[in-house]
Amino acid sequence: MKVLLLSRYGNLGASSRIRSYQYLPYLREQGIEVTLAPLLPDDYLRDLYAGKRPGAISILAAYARRIGTLMQRQKFDLLWVEYELFPWLPGWLESLLLSKITPYLVDYDDAIFHRYDLHTQPLVRRLLGHKIDRVMRHASTVVVGNEYLRDHATKAGAQRVEMLPTSIDLARYPSPTPARNAVYTIGWIGSPATTRYLRRVQEALAEVCAHGQARVVLVGASEPGWQAIPHAVHPWLEATEVAEVSAFDVGIMPLEDSPWERGKCGYKLIQYMACGKPVIASPVGVNTRIVTPGINGYLAETTRDWVQALTALMRDPDLRQRMGNAGRTQVESDYTVQVNAPRLAAMLHAAARRP
């Protein structure tokens, strides 16, 4: 079977890398030939993370390349689309290019539809508010990472909706060993765009770190500008992310409770747990499915909740070990490429067979 993968980004994009690229070796072994066609190159993300505004000419060129690629779609048995073909362009263009000539499967690990239907500008809501619903409705299969996205796809009238949790490649995550930190290390991994969520736990972190018994390590973040919290900011690199997370004593995932965040798929938590770390997370969306309080971590809503959870884990290394082991076991059972790749292959085959 020949599949054209129309991803949003190259390998530097977390959603593209985790939702599709890491499955390609397995799919190739199963006789599924995948041709890569990312919309935006890695340089686009490098500029974005560096605070540079991408040029309009480069974006137009990317859109033109994608149109050229789609002109060859009849050579493929299936189109595998990440989110949508053209961000911020109307749905009729998507429908024109995603015709019935070649069936397509579309994948979501974020509530991308809220970028349009909850936009602050009424004109955007009117023109694009139902765009993603239209893409979902005409897809052979809609693949989603959590229940919130599944429910939206179902309400949009999708023909078939499949759940595929965001997963890690277990081969990259060796059996964990306890961190050997002189100072209790609270860790977070993400991107400059998601650093803002750390403001929700700034007060709690300052209290826990006040007496020099704890510190915070941020991987992939922008500098938060904290004065009262001892912290270090490390660059994110694919080659070092597992080692970085393995050096944490606990991994955290604070979130706002709003529609966009309810669509997230908890990848941070899965990484922490794969490295044998206990987790603390806001009780938002899929976090409440991944975290079993008292078993593999804690759910924390208020500042007091966060302080209590962080302090309990700081004071009890054995508790950290038990929770970390439980988290690792859960990841091995439910959140690995090794478990989910055969399911994805079956979804691709089924989508290609549908009219």
Side-chain angles (χ1 to χ4, degrees):
M1 183 169 73
K2 294 185 177 181
V3 176
L4 177 61
L5 173 54
L6 297 155
S7 58
R8 177 66 63 92
Y9 303 112
N11 197 60
L12 192 59
S15 58
S16 302
R17 184 178 66 255
I18 300 306
R19 295 294 295 182
S20 56
Y21 290 0
Q22 67 174 348
Y23 289 100
L24 298 185
Y26 175 86
L27 297 177
R28 192 178 303 117
E29 291 175 358
Q30 302 304 307
I32 300 175
E33 180 185 334
V34 180
T35 298
L36 306 182
L39 174 63
L40 299 165
D42 284 344
D43 286 345
Y44 172 90
L45 281 180
R46 291 191 186 97
D47 288 345
L48 200 64
Y49 291 160
K52 300 177 183 177
R53 188 179 180 85
I57 293 177
S58 65
I59 294 176
L60 289 173
Y63 281 28
R65 284 194 301 271
R66 172 148 288 185
I67 291 173
T69 300
L70 286 164
M71 294 301 100
Q72 306 299 316
R73 63 189 182 277
Q74 68 274 8
K75 297 179 180 179
F76 298 91
D77 301 299
L78 180 71
L79 306 182
W80 179 1
V81 182
E82 181 184 352
Y83 298 163
E84 58 191 328
L85 291 179
F86 301 100
W88 302 104
L89 293 188
W92 64 263
L93 181 59
E94 304 270 336
S95 298
L96 179 66
L97 292 170
L98 289 173
S99 69
K100 293 185 180 298
I101 296 173
T102 307
Y104 70 93
L105 172 150
V106 64
D107 181 79
Y108 298 93
D109 68 343
D110 267 323
I112 196 74
F113 38 85
H114 288 325
R115 183 172 293 171
Y116 304 128
D117 63 14
L118 296 181
H119 198 277
T120 57
Q121 295 297 322
L123 182 62
V124 173
R125 294 198 301 272
R126 185 165 70 250
L127 294 178
L128 301 176
H130 297 290
K131 173 188 177 179
I132 299 302
D133 291 1
R134 189 172 184 173
V135 173
M136 290 176 166
R137 190 160 52 248
H138 295 292
S140 290
T141 302
V142 178
V143 179
V144 297
N146 61 43
E147 289 88 349
Y148 185 82
L149 303 175
R150 179 199 62 197
D151 292 347
H152 186 95
T154 300
K155 290 176 183 177
Q159 301 174 47
R160 174 185 289 179
V161 184
E162 299 279 4
M163 288 270 291
L164 188 76
T166 297
S167 302
I168 56 96
D169 182 355
L170 199 61
R172 297 185 61 235
Y173 289 77
S175 297
T177 56
R180 304 295 181 185
N181 296 311
V183 177
Y184 177 61
T185 300
I186 302 162
W188 177 93
I189 188 168
S191 69
T194 55
T195 305
R196 61 190 176 88
Y197 294 124
L198 291 166
R199 291 197 293 266
R200 301 189 61 82
V201 293
Q202 184 172 345
E203 185 179 342
L205 293 174
E207 183 173 338
V208 173
C209 295
H211 304 292
Q213 296 179 314
R215 65 173 187 141
V216 180
V217 172
L218 309 175
V219 179
S222 55
E223 171 55 55
W226 293 335
Q227 300 299 317
I229 303 172
H231 68 281
V233 178
H234 298 173
W236 177 88
L237 294 171
E238 185 177 10
T240 60
E241 64 174 345
V242 174
E244 292 276 12
V245 174
S246 295
F248 299 165
D249 288 304
V250 58
I252 63 172
M253 187 177 176
L255 283 179
E256 301 168 4
D257 188 4
S258 67
W260 178 265
E261 283 69 30
R262 291 169 203 152
K264 289 187 172 293
C265 290
Y267 184 59
K268 289 179 179 60
L269 298 179
I270 294 162
Q271 284 190 290
Y272 302 150
M273 291 160 59
C275 291
K277 307 303 169 186
V279 298
I280 309 174
S282 298
V284 176
V286 77
N287 289 5
T288 61
R289 293 276 186 177
I290 297 173
V291 180
T292 305
I295 302 299
N296 57 14
Y298 296 106
L299 294 170
E301 189 166 6
T302 67
T303 296
R304 185 49 41 198
D305 293 339
W306 280 94
V307 170
Q308 289 176 348
L310 288 165
T311 301
L313 289 167
M314 177 173 65
R315 291 174 176 171
D316 193 340
D318 290 338
L319 178 62
R320 297 201 298 267
Q321 183 70 37
R322 289 196 303 274
M323 286 187 167
N325 290 342
R328 171 72 180 206
T329 299
Q330 183 178 347
V331 168
E332 291 177 353
S333 174
D334 300 325
Y335 298 104
T336 70
V337 169
Q338 287 71 19
V339 168
N340 289 312
R343 297 181 56 223
L344 175 60
M347 292 174 196
L348 294 171
H349 278 295
R353 288 194 298 269
R354 290 176 68 85

